[in-house]
Amino acid sequence: MSQPLRLGIAGLGTVGVGVVQILRKQAKLLQARTGREIVISAVSARDRTKDRGVTLSSYAWEDDPVALAKRDDVDVFVELIGGEDGPAKDACEAALALGKDVVTANKAMLAMHGQSLAETAEERGCVIKYEAAVAGGIPVIKTLSEALAGNEITRVMGVMNGSCNYMLTRMEDAGLTYAEVFAEADGLGYLEADPQLDVGGIDAAHKLAILSSLAFGTKVNFAGIELEGIERVSIEDITAAADMGYKIKLLGVAQMTGRGLEQRMQPCLVPETSPLGQLQGGTNMIVLEGDSVGQIVLRGPGAGAGPTASAVLSDICDIARGVRGPVFGQAATKLEDATPALSKRPAAYYLRMALKDKPGALAKVAAVLGEAGVSIDRMRQYAHADDHAPVLIVTHKITRSDLDHALSAMATTNVVAADPVALRIEEV
Ligand code: NAP
Ligand code: HSE
């Protein structure tokens, strides 16, 4: 008869309590599926007196997560505190130093310190499992590292932050401004304690950095991501994009090029009829492309107690069953450096500008675009508002540098009222 697997759970917030609840509710099922009893030895959080809606009195309590990680009756340290540094990282390092496996949902820590933690874990013969760190309940880590292990991954793409997708779809559905939906999402508790992590694209970029490493065999390189949040997406753009048959999404894209690893997290247009275009509310979607499998689309809840705890349990069950393996799919010491490559791949672009109401204004813009080698695919001019005419252009495929030349030249024409908005149209 196998020994029970003994857990120490640090962090009893949304995810931590969700994990305790599943472990209690599904104890028999988990034992049947893994062949081992899975028990909680001890827990840790900041405030011992807080009512968390679950009974914790049968578990030992530690105020300090490092002390929890070091306990003799803890085999696996489950880190659900969060934060790239501080107690979460200290406690994970303490567990690994003692040869204990770690389960975490902490994408910020892995995006910033994944390489050093993976090297430590592998030196010590430990595993770090992190299914919950990317896209909550969607099993994308297992899909990439196990199910698609026979593929060369050609592209990873997706909507990885539910709060931003909620805000963008809410703007479109209710015709609300960015400021209005930001206030609404904040009021509903949908945003991180530091909302910039969501709306600045940082949380989603943490997730993309982790996926890139797994997909392309490179060291996690968060700093190499071309990053732009959704703060500048306006209701005008959402409405205009819809009129042209597109939706605006905070889209992450990673692909290996001959020049290095291209990683982008930025608002993009996608066709409204595509799976990504149809993604509503706080749901996440990850698109994986492999040389043999073709395209796979994974869709599901990216956050919340149940979905995220479900992913944590998948990792705990793996450890109970003895399913191990390198942290990022191959030995950490063999991962290549991820040289960042800016996208040189031509793409169609959406341009929105306000033209001054002067004879020849449109002709000047068309001339500037033509001189920069930017060919117009579609164009619409709407009724004048004040003295300006809103004009939308969808270009044929061009490089970003040709577009930037055209935009600089446009600024000198004296017919464009403000900086044009330029958004990439992604082929999905
Ligand atoms: P949370 O609700 O804020 O809970 C954090 C927990 O950590 C709290 O119980 C807190 O204690 C505890 N904590 C904070 N500092 C501590 C310290 N110094 N020592 C011991 N405990 C400490 O966070 P969460 O939403 O559950 O997220 C946990 C992790 O999961 C994060 O890495 C997050 O990014 C990740 N994640 C969350 C979701 C989600 O839907 N929430 C989805 C995917 C991934 P007190 O309760 O006593 O204050
Ligand atoms: N703030 C994150 C989101 C939580 O909205 O997706 C899950 O990582």
Side-chain angles (χ1 to χ4, degrees), residues 128-131 139-151 153 156 210-211 213-217 288 296 298 314-315 318 323-330:
I128 302 175
K129 293 202 168 256
Y130 51 92
E131 185 63 71
V140 61
I141 303 299
K142 256 184 192 292
T143 305
L144 260 180
S145 56
E146 294 180 24
L148 299 184
N151 283 258
I153 302 298
V156 173
I210 294 168
L211 291 185
S213 174
L214 262 179
F216 303 111
L288 303 171
I296 287 184
L298 303 172
S314 134
D315 287 340
D318 266 2
V323 177
R324 306 181 71 78
V327 178
F328 292 109
Q330 43 189 287

PDB file of all heavy atoms in Angstrom, residues 128-131 139-151 153 156 210-211 213-217 288 296 298 314-315 318 323-330:
ATOM      1  N   ILE A 128       8.572  20.919 -10.699  1.00  0.00           N
ATOM      2  CA  ILE A 128       7.707  22.081 -10.435  1.00  0.00           C
ATOM      3  C   ILE A 128       6.566  21.946 -11.429  1.00  0.00           C
ATOM      4  O   ILE A 128       6.808  21.859 -12.643  1.00  0.00           O
ATOM      5  CB  ILE A 128       8.436  23.418 -10.674  1.00  0.00           C
ATOM      6  CG1 ILE A 128       9.673  23.536  -9.803  1.00  0.00           C
ATOM      7  CG2 ILE A 128       7.474  24.586 -10.421  1.00  0.00           C
ATOM      8  CD1 ILE A 128      10.507  24.795 -10.077  1.00  0.00           C
ATOM      9  N   LYS A 129       5.352  21.899 -10.939  1.00  0.00           N
ATOM     10  CA  LYS A 129       4.197  21.767 -11.841  1.00  0.00           C
ATOM     11  C   LYS A 129       3.331  22.999 -11.712  1.00  0.00           C
ATOM     12  O   LYS A 129       3.148  23.530 -10.617  1.00  0.00           O
ATOM     13  CB  LYS A 129       3.430  20.492 -11.526  1.00  0.00           C
ATOM     14  CG  LYS A 129       4.278  19.267 -11.876  1.00  0.00           C
ATOM     15  CD  LYS A 129       3.488  18.029 -12.092  1.00  0.00           C
ATOM     16  CE  LYS A 129       4.360  16.957 -12.713  1.00  0.00           C
ATOM     17  NZ  LYS A 129       4.097  16.779 -14.130  1.00  0.00           N
ATOM     18  N   TYR A 130       2.769  23.452 -12.858  1.00  0.00           N
ATOM     19  CA  TYR A 130       2.164  24.789 -12.865  1.00  0.00           C
ATOM     20  C   TYR A 130       1.009  24.916 -13.861  1.00  0.00           C
ATOM     21  O   TYR A 130       0.854  25.935 -14.519  1.00  0.00           O
ATOM     22  CB  TYR A 130       3.255  25.842 -13.165  1.00  0.00           C
ATOM     23  CG  TYR A 130       4.080  25.526 -14.392  1.00  0.00           C
ATOM     24  CD1 TYR A 130       3.721  26.008 -15.633  1.00  0.00           C
ATOM     25  CD2 TYR A 130       5.203  24.713 -14.310  1.00  0.00           C
ATOM     26  CE1 TYR A 130       4.453  25.697 -16.763  1.00  0.00           C
ATOM     27  CE2 TYR A 130       5.949  24.396 -15.425  1.00  0.00           C
ATOM     28  CZ  TYR A 130       5.566  24.899 -16.647  1.00  0.00           C
ATOM     29  OH  TYR A 130       6.297  24.575 -17.769  1.00  0.00           O
ATOM     30  N   GLU A 131       0.209  23.849 -13.964  1.00  0.00           N
ATOM     31  CA  GLU A 131      -0.901  23.874 -14.919  1.00  0.00           C
ATOM     32  C   GLU A 131      -1.797  25.096 -14.714  1.00  0.00           C
ATOM     33  O   GLU A 131      -2.315  25.685 -15.666  1.00  0.00           O
ATOM     34  CB  GLU A 131      -1.725  22.584 -14.785  1.00  0.00           C
ATOM     35  CG  GLU A 131      -2.820  22.430 -15.797  1.00  0.00           C
ATOM     36  CD  GLU A 131      -2.293  22.344 -17.217  1.00  0.00           C
ATOM     37  OE1 GLU A 131      -1.696  21.323 -17.564  1.00  0.00           O
ATOM     38  OE2 GLU A 131      -2.463  23.307 -17.988  1.00  0.00           O
ATOM     39  N   PRO A 139      -6.294  23.000 -19.790  1.00  0.00           N
ATOM     40  CA  PRO A 139      -5.080  22.189 -19.611  1.00  0.00           C
ATOM     41  C   PRO A 139      -4.046  22.414 -20.721  1.00  0.00           C
ATOM     42  O   PRO A 139      -3.702  21.495 -21.470  1.00  0.00           O
ATOM     43  CB  PRO A 139      -5.612  20.756 -19.613  1.00  0.00           C
ATOM     44  CG  PRO A 139      -6.876  20.813 -20.392  1.00  0.00           C
ATOM     45  CD  PRO A 139      -7.446  22.193 -20.249  1.00  0.00           C
ATOM     46  N   VAL A 140      -3.537  23.623 -20.800  1.00  0.00           N
ATOM     47  CA  VAL A 140      -2.640  23.945 -21.918  1.00  0.00           C
ATOM     48  C   VAL A 140      -1.208  23.493 -21.647  1.00  0.00           C
ATOM     49  O   VAL A 140      -0.482  23.144 -22.583  1.00  0.00           O
ATOM     50  CB  VAL A 140      -2.694  25.463 -22.254  1.00  0.00           C
ATOM     51  CG1 VAL A 140      -2.261  26.336 -21.102  1.00  0.00           C
ATOM     52  CG2 VAL A 140      -1.861  25.761 -23.484  1.00  0.00           C
ATOM     53  N   ILE A 141      -0.800  23.449 -20.385  1.00  0.00           N
ATOM     54  CA  ILE A 141       0.581  23.037 -20.099  1.00  0.00           C
ATOM     55  C   ILE A 141       0.743  21.546 -20.438  1.00  0.00           C
ATOM     56  O   ILE A 141       1.692  21.152 -21.111  1.00  0.00           O
ATOM     57  CB  ILE A 141       0.929  23.298 -18.605  1.00  0.00           C
ATOM     58  CG1 ILE A 141       0.721  24.780 -18.259  1.00  0.00           C
ATOM     59  CG2 ILE A 141       2.341  22.835 -18.275  1.00  0.00           C
ATOM     60  CD1 ILE A 141       1.574  25.753 -19.032  1.00  0.00           C
ATOM     61  N   LYS A 142      -0.209  20.757 -20.002  1.00  0.00           N
ATOM     62  CA  LYS A 142      -0.167  19.319 -20.323  1.00  0.00           C
ATOM     63  C   LYS A 142      -0.281  19.104 -21.829  1.00  0.00           C
ATOM     64  O   LYS A 142       0.367  18.234 -22.392  1.00  0.00           O
ATOM     65  CB  LYS A 142      -1.348  18.605 -19.665  1.00  0.00           C
ATOM     66  CG  LYS A 142      -0.973  17.819 -18.437  1.00  0.00           C
ATOM     67  CD  LYS A 142      -2.200  17.070 -17.924  1.00  0.00           C
ATOM     68  CE  LYS A 142      -1.954  16.517 -16.553  1.00  0.00           C
ATOM     69  NZ  LYS A 142      -0.978  15.446 -16.492  1.00  0.00           N
ATOM     70  N   THR A 143      -1.140  19.874 -22.470  1.00  0.00           N
ATOM     71  CA  THR A 143      -1.333  19.688 -23.910  1.00  0.00           C
ATOM     72  C   THR A 143      -0.021  19.940 -24.648  1.00  0.00           C
ATOM     73  O   THR A 143       0.391  19.157 -25.502  1.00  0.00           O
ATOM     74  CB  THR A 143      -2.437  20.625 -24.427  1.00  0.00           C
ATOM     75  OG1 THR A 143      -3.607  20.393 -23.660  1.00  0.00           O
ATOM     76  CG2 THR A 143      -2.737  20.386 -25.890  1.00  0.00           C
ATOM     77  N   LEU A 144       0.645  21.028 -24.285  1.00  0.00           N
ATOM     78  CA  LEU A 144       1.903  21.353 -24.969  1.00  0.00           C
ATOM     79  C   LEU A 144       3.004  20.355 -24.621  1.00  0.00           C
ATOM     80  O   LEU A 144       3.717  19.874 -25.499  1.00  0.00           O
ATOM     81  CB  LEU A 144       2.369  22.748 -24.551  1.00  0.00           C
ATOM     82  CG  LEU A 144       2.095  23.908 -25.485  1.00  0.00           C
ATOM     83  CD1 LEU A 144       2.631  25.200 -24.887  1.00  0.00           C
ATOM     84  CD2 LEU A 144       2.694  23.699 -26.876  1.00  0.00           C
ATOM     85  N   SER A 145       3.150  20.067 -23.305  1.00  0.00           N
ATOM     86  CA  SER A 145       4.315  19.279 -22.909  1.00  0.00           C
ATOM     87  C   SER A 145       4.112  17.785 -23.113  1.00  0.00           C
ATOM     88  O   SER A 145       5.074  17.056 -23.304  1.00  0.00           O
ATOM     89  CB  SER A 145       4.684  19.568 -21.450  1.00  0.00           C
ATOM     90  OG  SER A 145       3.574  19.332 -20.630  1.00  0.00           O
ATOM     91  N   GLU A 146       2.868  17.325 -23.102  1.00  0.00           N
ATOM     92  CA  GLU A 146       2.653  15.872 -23.237  1.00  0.00           C
ATOM     93  C   GLU A 146       1.971  15.531 -24.564  1.00  0.00           C
ATOM     94  O   GLU A 146       2.517  14.848 -25.397  1.00  0.00           O
ATOM     95  CB  GLU A 146       1.799  15.360 -22.075  1.00  0.00           C
ATOM     96  CG  GLU A 146       2.524  15.488 -20.735  1.00  0.00           C
ATOM     97  CD  GLU A 146       1.694  14.997 -19.572  1.00  0.00           C
ATOM     98  OE1 GLU A 146       0.795  14.167 -19.757  1.00  0.00           O
ATOM     99  OE2 GLU A 146       1.950  15.466 -18.446  1.00  0.00           O
ATOM    100  N   ALA A 147       0.757  16.060 -24.747  1.00  0.00           N
ATOM    101  CA  ALA A 147      -0.023  15.621 -25.904  1.00  0.00           C
ATOM    102  C   ALA A 147       0.630  16.016 -27.230  1.00  0.00           C
ATOM    103  O   ALA A 147       0.496  15.306 -28.220  1.00  0.00           O
ATOM    104  CB  ALA A 147      -1.434  16.182 -25.812  1.00  0.00           C
ATOM    105  N   LEU A 148       1.329  17.151 -27.252  1.00  0.00           N
ATOM    106  CA  LEU A 148       1.940  17.610 -28.505  1.00  0.00           C
ATOM    107  C   LEU A 148       3.454  17.401 -28.531  1.00  0.00           C
ATOM    108  O   LEU A 148       4.160  18.031 -29.317  1.00  0.00           O
ATOM    109  CB  LEU A 148       1.610  19.098 -28.739  1.00  0.00           C
ATOM    110  CG  LEU A 148       0.120  19.420 -28.875  1.00  0.00           C
ATOM    111  CD1 LEU A 148      -0.083  20.899 -29.196  1.00  0.00           C
ATOM    112  CD2 LEU A 148      -0.548  18.574 -29.955  1.00  0.00           C
ATOM    113  N   ALA A 149       3.942  16.502 -27.671  1.00  0.00           N
ATOM    114  CA  ALA A 149       5.398  16.317 -27.563  1.00  0.00           C
ATOM    115  C   ALA A 149       6.030  15.878 -28.889  1.00  0.00           C
ATOM    116  O   ALA A 149       7.214  16.126 -29.128  1.00  0.00           O
ATOM    117  CB  ALA A 149       5.709  15.305 -26.471  1.00  0.00           C
ATOM    118  N   GLY A 150       5.259  15.283 -29.778  1.00  0.00           N
ATOM    119  CA  GLY A 150       5.808  14.821 -31.053  1.00  0.00           C
ATOM    120  C   GLY A 150       5.782  15.874 -32.148  1.00  0.00           C
ATOM    121  O   GLY A 150       6.124  15.578 -33.299  1.00  0.00           O
ATOM    122  N   ASN A 151       5.375  17.079 -31.814  1.00  0.00           N
ATOM    123  CA  ASN A 151       5.262  18.136 -32.828  1.00  0.00           C
ATOM    124  C   ASN A 151       6.332  19.197 -32.670  1.00  0.00           C
ATOM    125  O   ASN A 151       6.704  19.543 -31.549  1.00  0.00           O
ATOM    126  CB  ASN A 151       3.928  18.875 -32.664  1.00  0.00           C
ATOM    127  CG  ASN A 151       2.769  18.080 -33.209  1.00  0.00           C
ATOM    128  OD1 ASN A 151       2.279  18.354 -34.286  1.00  0.00           O
ATOM    129  ND2 ASN A 151       2.350  17.075 -32.457  1.00  0.00           N
ATOM    130  N   ILE A 153       6.372  22.866 -32.626  1.00  0.00           N
ATOM    131  CA  ILE A 153       5.314  23.875 -32.478  1.00  0.00           C
ATOM    132  C   ILE A 153       5.665  25.069 -33.361  1.00  0.00           C
ATOM    133  O   ILE A 153       6.792  25.588 -33.317  1.00  0.00           O
ATOM    134  CB  ILE A 153       5.161  24.312 -31.003  1.00  0.00           C
ATOM    135  CG1 ILE A 153       4.860  23.099 -30.102  1.00  0.00           C
ATOM    136  CG2 ILE A 153       4.064  25.370 -30.870  1.00  0.00           C
ATOM    137  CD1 ILE A 153       3.569  22.356 -30.410  1.00  0.00           C
ATOM    138  N   VAL A 156       2.056  29.747 -31.163  1.00  0.00           N
ATOM    139  CA  VAL A 156       1.177  29.711 -29.994  1.00  0.00           C
ATOM    140  C   VAL A 156       0.490  31.060 -29.955  1.00  0.00           C
ATOM    141  O   VAL A 156       1.129  32.099 -30.140  1.00  0.00           O
ATOM    142  CB  VAL A 156       1.996  29.530 -28.692  1.00  0.00           C
ATOM    143  CG1 VAL A 156       1.098  29.677 -27.471  1.00  0.00           C
ATOM    144  CG2 VAL A 156       2.694  28.191 -28.674  1.00  0.00           C
ATOM    145  N   ILE A 210       5.714  31.899 -20.454  1.00  0.00           N
ATOM    146  CA  ILE A 210       5.799  30.503 -20.005  1.00  0.00           C
ATOM    147  C   ILE A 210       5.494  29.554 -21.174  1.00  0.00           C
ATOM    148  O   ILE A 210       6.207  28.579 -21.428  1.00  0.00           O
ATOM    149  CB  ILE A 210       4.819  30.266 -18.832  1.00  0.00           C
ATOM    150  CG1 ILE A 210       5.258  31.085 -17.616  1.00  0.00           C
ATOM    151  CG2 ILE A 210       4.715  28.785 -18.488  1.00  0.00           C
ATOM    152  CD1 ILE A 210       4.213  31.155 -16.495  1.00  0.00           C
ATOM    153  N   LEU A 211       4.434  29.863 -21.919  1.00  0.00           N
ATOM    154  CA  LEU A 211       4.071  29.003 -23.058  1.00  0.00           C
ATOM    155  C   LEU A 211       5.178  28.970 -24.101  1.00  0.00           C
ATOM    156  O   LEU A 211       5.459  27.922 -24.692  1.00  0.00           O
ATOM    157  CB  LEU A 211       2.764  29.488 -23.700  1.00  0.00           C
ATOM    158  CG  LEU A 211       1.488  29.322 -22.879  1.00  0.00           C
ATOM    159  CD1 LEU A 211       0.273  29.738 -23.696  1.00  0.00           C
ATOM    160  CD2 LEU A 211       1.317  27.893 -22.383  1.00  0.00           C
ATOM    161  N   SER A 213       8.369  29.229 -23.699  1.00  0.00           N
ATOM    162  CA  SER A 213       9.471  28.374 -23.269  1.00  0.00           C
ATOM    163  C   SER A 213       9.148  26.901 -23.531  1.00  0.00           C
ATOM    164  O   SER A 213       9.961  26.159 -24.098  1.00  0.00           O
ATOM    165  CB  SER A 213       9.722  28.607 -21.776  1.00  0.00           C
ATOM    166  OG  SER A 213      10.689  27.703 -21.307  1.00  0.00           O
ATOM    167  N   LEU A 214       7.941  26.508 -23.164  1.00  0.00           N
ATOM    168  CA  LEU A 214       7.521  25.121 -23.377  1.00  0.00           C
ATOM    169  C   LEU A 214       7.440  24.773 -24.860  1.00  0.00           C
ATOM    170  O   LEU A 214       7.814  23.693 -25.286  1.00  0.00           O
ATOM    171  CB  LEU A 214       6.113  24.937 -22.816  1.00  0.00           C
ATOM    172  CG  LEU A 214       5.936  24.349 -21.444  1.00  0.00           C
ATOM    173  CD1 LEU A 214       4.469  24.296 -21.109  1.00  0.00           C
ATOM    174  CD2 LEU A 214       6.548  22.959 -21.362  1.00  0.00           C
ATOM    175  N   ALA A 215       6.931  25.717 -25.632  1.00  0.00           N
ATOM    176  CA  ALA A 215       6.683  25.441 -27.052  1.00  0.00           C
ATOM    177  C   ALA A 215       7.974  25.400 -27.858  1.00  0.00           C
ATOM    178  O   ALA A 215       8.107  24.598 -28.780  1.00  0.00           O
ATOM    179  CB  ALA A 215       5.742  26.504 -27.623  1.00  0.00           C
ATOM    180  N   PHE A 216       8.918  26.294 -27.529  1.00  0.00           N
ATOM    181  CA  PHE A 216      10.077  26.472 -28.411  1.00  0.00           C
ATOM    182  C   PHE A 216      11.410  26.046 -27.778  1.00  0.00           C
ATOM    183  O   PHE A 216      12.469  26.260 -28.377  1.00  0.00           O
ATOM    184  CB  PHE A 216      10.137  27.924 -28.895  1.00  0.00           C
ATOM    185  CG  PHE A 216       8.864  28.341 -29.599  1.00  0.00           C
ATOM    186  CD1 PHE A 216       8.005  29.268 -29.023  1.00  0.00           C
ATOM    187  CD2 PHE A 216       8.503  27.766 -30.811  1.00  0.00           C
ATOM    188  CE1 PHE A 216       6.811  29.623 -29.648  1.00  0.00           C
ATOM    189  CE2 PHE A 216       7.315  28.117 -31.440  1.00  0.00           C
ATOM    190  CZ  PHE A 216       6.471  29.042 -30.862  1.00  0.00           C
ATOM    191  N   GLY A 217      11.352  25.507 -26.564  1.00  0.00           N
ATOM    192  CA  GLY A 217      12.580  25.016 -25.929  1.00  0.00           C
ATOM    193  C   GLY A 217      13.543  26.136 -25.604  1.00  0.00           C
ATOM    194  O   GLY A 217      14.762  25.975 -25.705  1.00  0.00           O
ATOM    195  N   LEU A 288      -2.969  26.422 -30.550  1.00  0.00           N
ATOM    196  CA  LEU A 288      -1.637  25.826 -30.680  1.00  0.00           C
ATOM    197  C   LEU A 288      -1.503  25.259 -32.083  1.00  0.00           C
ATOM    198  O   LEU A 288      -2.433  24.592 -32.571  1.00  0.00           O
ATOM    199  CB  LEU A 288      -1.462  24.694 -29.658  1.00  0.00           C
ATOM    200  CG  LEU A 288      -1.671  25.077 -28.189  1.00  0.00           C
ATOM    201  CD1 LEU A 288      -1.695  23.833 -27.306  1.00  0.00           C
ATOM    202  CD2 LEU A 288      -0.590  26.046 -27.724  1.00  0.00           C
ATOM    203  N   ILE A 296      -4.890  23.369 -33.023  1.00  0.00           N
ATOM    204  CA  ILE A 296      -5.750  22.928 -31.916  1.00  0.00           C
ATOM    205  C   ILE A 296      -6.252  24.171 -31.199  1.00  0.00           C
ATOM    206  O   ILE A 296      -5.478  25.101 -30.951  1.00  0.00           O
ATOM    207  CB  ILE A 296      -4.940  22.081 -30.926  1.00  0.00           C
ATOM    208  CG1 ILE A 296      -4.668  20.722 -31.535  1.00  0.00           C
ATOM    209  CG2 ILE A 296      -5.676  21.913 -29.606  1.00  0.00           C
ATOM    210  CD1 ILE A 296      -3.972  19.784 -30.620  1.00  0.00           C
ATOM    211  N   LEU A 298      -8.091  25.476 -27.737  1.00  0.00           N
ATOM    212  CA  LEU A 298      -8.537  25.143 -26.378  1.00  0.00           C
ATOM    213  C   LEU A 298      -9.276  26.354 -25.822  1.00  0.00           C
ATOM    214  O   LEU A 298      -8.771  27.475 -25.893  1.00  0.00           O
ATOM    215  CB  LEU A 298      -7.338  24.851 -25.473  1.00  0.00           C
ATOM    216  CG  LEU A 298      -6.387  23.739 -25.900  1.00  0.00           C
ATOM    217  CD1 LEU A 298      -5.169  23.714 -24.996  1.00  0.00           C
ATOM    218  CD2 LEU A 298      -7.085  22.399 -25.853  1.00  0.00           C
ATOM    219  N   SER A 314      -4.784  18.698 -10.927  1.00  0.00           N
ATOM    220  CA  SER A 314      -4.199  17.862 -11.988  1.00  0.00           C
ATOM    221  C   SER A 314      -2.704  17.677 -11.718  1.00  0.00           C
ATOM    222  O   SER A 314      -2.152  16.580 -11.881  1.00  0.00           O
ATOM    223  CB  SER A 314      -4.498  18.514 -13.344  1.00  0.00           C
ATOM    224  OG  SER A 314      -3.374  18.558 -14.154  1.00  0.00           O
ATOM    225  N   ASP A 315      -2.043  18.747 -11.255  1.00  0.00           N
ATOM    226  CA  ASP A 315      -0.605  18.644 -10.937  1.00  0.00           C
ATOM    227  C   ASP A 315      -0.370  17.758  -9.719  1.00  0.00           C
ATOM    228  O   ASP A 315       0.557  16.940  -9.693  1.00  0.00           O
ATOM    229  CB  ASP A 315      -0.042  20.045 -10.648  1.00  0.00           C
ATOM    230  CG  ASP A 315       0.089  20.889 -11.911  1.00  0.00           C
ATOM    231  OD1 ASP A 315       0.113  20.316 -13.012  1.00  0.00           O
ATOM    232  OD2 ASP A 315       0.181  22.130 -11.785  1.00  0.00           O
ATOM    233  N   ASP A 318      -0.700  14.221 -10.736  1.00  0.00           N
ATOM    234  CA  ASP A 318       0.489  13.772 -11.472  1.00  0.00           C
ATOM    235  C   ASP A 318       1.580  13.337 -10.503  1.00  0.00           C
ATOM    236  O   ASP A 318       2.202  12.279 -10.673  1.00  0.00           O
ATOM    237  CB  ASP A 318       1.045  14.932 -12.330  1.00  0.00           C
ATOM    238  CG  ASP A 318       0.503  14.893 -13.750  1.00  0.00           C
ATOM    239  OD1 ASP A 318      -0.311  13.999 -14.052  1.00  0.00           O
ATOM    240  OD2 ASP A 318       0.894  15.771 -14.554  1.00  0.00           O
ATOM    241  N   VAL A 323       4.084  10.897 -12.141  1.00  0.00           N
ATOM    242  CA  VAL A 323       4.306  11.491 -13.465  1.00  0.00           C
ATOM    243  C   VAL A 323       5.222  12.700 -13.280  1.00  0.00           C
ATOM    244  O   VAL A 323       4.848  13.684 -12.650  1.00  0.00           O
ATOM    245  CB  VAL A 323       2.973  11.942 -14.113  1.00  0.00           C
ATOM    246  CG1 VAL A 323       3.223  12.628 -15.450  1.00  0.00           C
ATOM    247  CG2 VAL A 323       2.034  10.759 -14.262  1.00  0.00           C
ATOM    248  N   ARG A 324       6.450  12.580 -13.771  1.00  0.00           N
ATOM    249  CA  ARG A 324       7.420  13.640 -13.532  1.00  0.00           C
ATOM    250  C   ARG A 324       7.909  14.182 -14.874  1.00  0.00           C
ATOM    251  O   ARG A 324       7.278  13.915 -15.885  1.00  0.00           O
ATOM    252  CB  ARG A 324       8.567  13.091 -12.680  1.00  0.00           C
ATOM    253  CG  ARG A 324       8.028  12.442 -11.382  1.00  0.00           C
ATOM    254  CD  ARG A 324       9.112  11.913 -10.505  1.00  0.00           C
ATOM    255  NE  ARG A 324       9.894  12.962  -9.871  1.00  0.00           N
ATOM    256  CZ  ARG A 324       9.488  13.663  -8.821  1.00  0.00           C
ATOM    257  NH1 ARG A 324       8.316  13.440  -8.290  1.00  0.00           N
ATOM    258  NH2 ARG A 324      10.263  14.589  -8.292  1.00  0.00           N
ATOM    259  N   GLY A 325       8.960  14.922 -14.888  1.00  0.00           N
ATOM    260  CA  GLY A 325       9.472  15.422 -16.156  1.00  0.00           C
ATOM    261  C   GLY A 325      10.058  16.805 -15.961  1.00  0.00           C
ATOM    262  O   GLY A 325       9.793  17.463 -14.946  1.00  0.00           O
ATOM    263  N   PRO A 326      10.863  17.243 -16.939  1.00  0.00           N
ATOM    264  CA  PRO A 326      11.504  18.543 -16.790  1.00  0.00           C
ATOM    265  C   PRO A 326      10.476  19.678 -16.773  1.00  0.00           C
ATOM    266  O   PRO A 326       9.407  19.562 -17.377  1.00  0.00           O
ATOM    267  CB  PRO A 326      12.421  18.637 -18.011  1.00  0.00           C
ATOM    268  CG  PRO A 326      12.016  17.555 -18.927  1.00  0.00           C
ATOM    269  CD  PRO A 326      11.197  16.557 -18.185  1.00  0.00           C
ATOM    270  N   VAL A 327      10.840  20.742 -16.092  1.00  0.00           N
ATOM    271  CA  VAL A 327       9.878  21.821 -15.824  1.00  0.00           C
ATOM    272  C   VAL A 327       9.351  22.439 -17.125  1.00  0.00           C
ATOM    273  O   VAL A 327       8.147  22.658 -17.282  1.00  0.00           O
ATOM    274  CB  VAL A 327      10.538  22.898 -14.929  1.00  0.00           C
ATOM    275  CG1 VAL A 327       9.571  24.055 -14.674  1.00  0.00           C
ATOM    276  CG2 VAL A 327      11.007  22.286 -13.611  1.00  0.00           C
ATOM    277  N   PHE A 328      10.252  22.719 -18.056  1.00  0.00           N
ATOM    278  CA  PHE A 328       9.821  23.358 -19.309  1.00  0.00           C
ATOM    279  C   PHE A 328       9.934  22.401 -20.502  1.00  0.00           C
ATOM    280  O   PHE A 328      10.246  22.798 -21.613  1.00  0.00           O
ATOM    281  CB  PHE A 328      10.605  24.654 -19.549  1.00  0.00           C
ATOM    282  CG  PHE A 328      10.253  25.725 -18.546  1.00  0.00           C
ATOM    283  CD1 PHE A 328      11.159  26.098 -17.565  1.00  0.00           C
ATOM    284  CD2 PHE A 328       9.006  26.329 -18.561  1.00  0.00           C
ATOM    285  CE1 PHE A 328      10.826  27.065 -16.622  1.00  0.00           C
ATOM    286  CE2 PHE A 328       8.655  27.296 -17.615  1.00  0.00           C
ATOM    287  CZ  PHE A 328       9.568  27.660 -16.639  1.00  0.00           C
ATOM    288  N   GLY A 329       9.673  21.124 -20.244  1.00  0.00           N
ATOM    289  CA  GLY A 329       9.565  20.164 -21.347  1.00  0.00           C
ATOM    290  C   GLY A 329      10.874  19.555 -21.766  1.00  0.00           C
ATOM    291  O   GLY A 329      10.901  18.507 -22.403  1.00  0.00           O
ATOM    292  N   GLN A 330      11.994  20.195 -21.475  1.00  0.00           N
ATOM    293  CA  GLN A 330      13.308  19.610 -21.705  1.00  0.00           C
ATOM    294  C   GLN A 330      14.242  20.151 -20.635  1.00  0.00           C
ATOM    295  O   GLN A 330      13.911  21.145 -19.976  1.00  0.00           O
ATOM    296  CB  GLN A 330      13.834  19.902 -23.110  1.00  0.00           C
ATOM    297  CG  GLN A 330      13.625  21.299 -23.609  1.00  0.00           C
ATOM    298  CD  GLN A 330      13.989  21.414 -25.083  1.00  0.00           C
ATOM    299  OE1 GLN A 330      15.153  21.395 -25.431  1.00  0.00           O
ATOM    300  NE2 GLN A 330      12.989  21.524 -25.938  1.00  0.00           N
TER     301      GLN A 330
END
